[in-house]
Amino acid sequence: MNTVNLFAGMGSHQSARSETNTWFSPPDILDALGGADSFDLDPCSHVDRPWPTARQHFTQEDNGLILPWFGRVWLNPPYSIALITKFLGRMAAHDRGVALIFARTETDPFHRFVWGAASGLLFLRGRLNFHRPDGSRAEANGGAPSVLIAYGAEDRDILAAAPIDGAFVPLRFTLSMLMPALVPTWREALDAFFAGRGEAVTLAELYRAFADHPKARANQHWRDKLRQVLQRGQFERVDKGLWKRVPA
């Protein structure tokens, strides 16, 4: 395949409503993600770009598909299925940065390199109006909805907090994100401990029982918290350092 033809219009986009395929991302999108200076590389930039999109740019002459990628990447690939597949594959392997493509969630590259590899998505409200090489904003929108795709935990968090109108969907869940759903509250944990125990329990026994509990590992002052919950929950102190659960 002819390399010049393959990469013609790299860093640009083809609108369903236009005869040109040279379109550029709205600058306010980049600004909302930290600005061009917060990205280390744009691997598919156009030579005649109206503004920088990263600290370093690979153009169609450089061929960003074969050069090494580094740092936080801004990826806005040409909107052909062949190039999107190649660039999203590289982005998934690099796993750091943000990509902007049309939200064609049913396509093979979306399933392979977004659903199965990205850390978060921001589906943009409405349709973007891209910009011409001279920086002017197109009157017509791009002709399809767009989505910002985060790769890596850092960019997932940046995308989730970005002041961009749309719906954010996390794709990778860290243990810290899952902990509230997986680990019971102190009240629930104490209820479970006392369940079936008719006799009172000493604080020393409670300390031993909860020493390796996830709630204790997450809080160095867990003993204070445990005593606080005993005093506020359905528990009764029957003697100094001796507690029992009050039947509901």
Side-chain angles (χ1 to χ4, degrees), residues 89-185:
R90 284 292 304 270
M91 191 67 165
H94 183 69
D95 199 29
R96 185 183 175 196
V98 178
L100 172 63
I101 63 173
F102 283 148
R104 290 172 175 151
T105 59
E106 81 289 357
T107 60
D108 179 66
F110 210 100
H111 276 270
R112 291 170 61 192
F113 304 123
V114 179
W115 291 128
S119 56
L121 305 174
L122 181 58
F123 291 94
L124 304 184
R125 182 183 295 274
R127 296 181 177 184
L128 290 178
N129 288 70
F130 292 98
H131 290 248
R132 300 181 181 87
D134 64 2
S136 61
R137 183 176 182 268
E139 293 78 11
N141 63 56
S146 296
V147 61
L148 287 162
I149 308 164
Y151 291 85
E154 180 181 358
D155 277 286
R156 177 201 60 218
D157 295 343
I158 291 173
L159 194 60
I164 300 173
D165 194 10
F168 177 75
V169 179
L171 295 182
R172 291 188 205 164
F173 293 91
T174 63
L175 181 59
S176 61
M177 294 170 68
L178 291 173
M179 282 289 280
L182 297 177
V183 178
T185 64

Side-chain angles (χ1 to χ4, degrees), residues 27 124 153 187 221:
L124 304 184
R187 168 71 177 275
H221 303 296

